[in-house]
């Protein structure tokens, strides 16, 4: 709001900054929903229930997640009206598709849809975060050209997708179980997720010193991931705050990559 490029331009910048914050809040609320066992607290009814606002006030993070998603959509629509561009139109389109896949995640948790729906939902949610973040940090830059050019984000988003697949594959309240050689689908999926995490570390290490903060976060995240694996097996229905911490690290890595890109 201090740019003084004109009233409309200032409002657009403020709304883009708001969208970045709302997207972060939405992803973290999703991790709270998963971590504390609220995934099916509203059943498979979508997007709203009759008393959803009351449930949010009473502390249901799934209700809060859906209402914040609505706010994200409304702000995105305002941005398209005020400043139609490839960034704002792409952002709104991603939000709509993310919401539809969000409905699908309920059926994944209920055992009635494949795990890739859950993985795709997570991938799209990060797409929303990144499209507004890059639009704010690099105004005028074509997001899709930027995404194609930044290999570090490719490795990160692959890990995000497979992390969502891992959650979807194990289902609601089901442990993965310790293993040496994968025996069931959820174990094969987490093996792929760990491989993607190691690929991310290798990619960022190969690119050093381009992304030092993201590299050290990625190394730490591998250890955090193993702690989360044990938390999921100890308390499969509600593994707790480790899910939120794990997701926070991914957000910080995404932020570090975008801000340090030159």
């Amino acid at each position: 709001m201090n740019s003084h490029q004109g009233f409309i331009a200032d409002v657009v910048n403020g709304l883009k900054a708001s969208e970045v914050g709302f997207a972060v809040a939405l992803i973290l609320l999703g991790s709270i929903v998963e971590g504390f066992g609220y995934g099916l607290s509203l059943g498979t009814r979508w997007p709203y229930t009759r008393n959803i606002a009351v449930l949010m006030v009473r502390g249901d993070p799934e209700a809060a997640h859906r209402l914040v998603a609505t706010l994200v959509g409304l702000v995105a629509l305002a941005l398209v009206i005020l400043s139609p561009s490839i960034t704002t139109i792409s952002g709104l389109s991603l939000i709509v598709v993310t919401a539809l896949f969000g409905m699908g995640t309920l059926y994944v948790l209920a055992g009635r849809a494949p795990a890739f729906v859950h993985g795709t939902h997570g991938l799209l949610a990060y797409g929303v975060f990144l499209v507004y973040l890059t639009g704010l940090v690099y105004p005028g830059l074509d997001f899709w050209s930027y995404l194609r050019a930044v290999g570090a984000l490719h490795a990160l988003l692959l890990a995000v997708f497979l992390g969502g697949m891992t959650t979807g594959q194990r289902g609601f309240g089901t442990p993965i179980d310790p293993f040496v050689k994968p025996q069931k689908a959820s174990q094969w999926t987490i093996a792929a997720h760990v491989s993607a995490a190691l690929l991310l570390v290798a990619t960022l290490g190969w690119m050093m010193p381009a992304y030092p903060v993201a590299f050290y976060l990625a190394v730490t995240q591998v250890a955090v991931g193993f702690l989360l694996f044990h938390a999921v097996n100890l308390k499969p229905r509600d593994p707790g705050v480790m899910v939120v911490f794990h997701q926070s690290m991914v957000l910080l890595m995404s932020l570090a990559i975008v801000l340090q890109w030159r």
Side-chain angles (χ1 to χ4, degrees):
M1 294 301 289
N2 294 324
S3 62
H4 303 299
Q5 300 173 14
F7 178 74
I8 297 297
D10 289 344
V11 169
V12 167
N13 285 335
L15 290 176
K16 284 181 181 177
S18 299
E19 280 291 71
V20 173
F22 290 147
V24 169
L26 197 58
I27 290 170
L28 291 178
L29 279 169
S31 67
I32 292 171
V33 168
E34 179 187 342
F36 293 93
Y38 284 88
L40 290 173
S41 65
L42 304 181
T44 55
R45 289 168 292 178
W46 182 91
Y48 309 113
T49 61
R50 185 177 55 186
N51 58 342
I52 191 168
V54 175
L55 292 172
M56 183 186 72
V57 172
R58 289 178 178 173
D60 188 329
E62 173 65 1
H65 181 73
R66 296 190 193 185
L67 290 176
V68 172
T70 302
L71 182 59
V72 169
L74 292 174
V75 174
L77 180 60
L79 278 168
V80 169
I81 294 170
L82 291 172
S83 178
S85 66
I86 190 169
T87 295
T88 57
I89 294 171
S90 295
L92 180 59
S93 300
L94 282 171
I95 288 166
V96 171
V97 180
T98 304
L100 294 174
F101 272 88
M103 174 183 63
T105 61
L106 301 175
Y107 292 96
V108 174
L109 295 177
R112 288 183 273 167
F116 86 88
V117 172
H118 204 291
T120 303
H121 177 67
L123 183 64
L124 290 167
Y126 272 88
V128 172
F129 168 62
L130 289 169
V131 75
Y132 288 110
L133 177 62
T134 55
L136 186 67
V137 177
Y138 307 110
L141 181 66
D142 175 4
F143 170 72
W144 301 106
S145 298
Y146 169 81
L147 185 61
R148 285 193 296 271
V150 184
L153 283 179
H154 301 170
L156 178 66
L157 292 173
L158 175 63
V160 166
F161 172 73
L162 289 170
M165 279 277 293
T166 300
T167 301
Q169 193 67 65
R170 76 181 183 89
F172 185 65
T174 305
I176 298 171
D177 295 325
F179 64 94
V180 176
K181 180 181 178 181
Q183 300 293 331
K184 55 185 181 180
S186 61
Q187 293 176 346
W188 282 107
T189 305
I190 199 169
H193 178 52
V194 171
S195 299
L198 294 175
L199 175 63
L200 174 62
V201 172
T203 300
L204 292 170
W206 180 68
M207 291 180 171
M208 285 288 279
Y211 303 109
V213 175
F215 172 73
Y216 292 116
L217 284 171
V219 172
T220 305
Q221 180 76 316
V222 173
V224 173
F226 279 108
L227 293 175
L228 176 57
F229 175 76
H230 288 295
V232 166
N233 286 322
L234 287 171
K235 299 179 67 179
R237 189 178 182 86
D238 53 338
V241 73
M242 286 304 301
V243 178
V244 184
F245 187 57
H246 190 66
Q247 202 68 259
S248 300
M249 294 283 284
V250 182
L251 284 166
L252 288 173
M253 277 187 278
S254 305
L255 189 63
I257 290 170
V258 172
L259 294 182
Q260 292 189 310
W261 177 73
R262 291 292 181 272

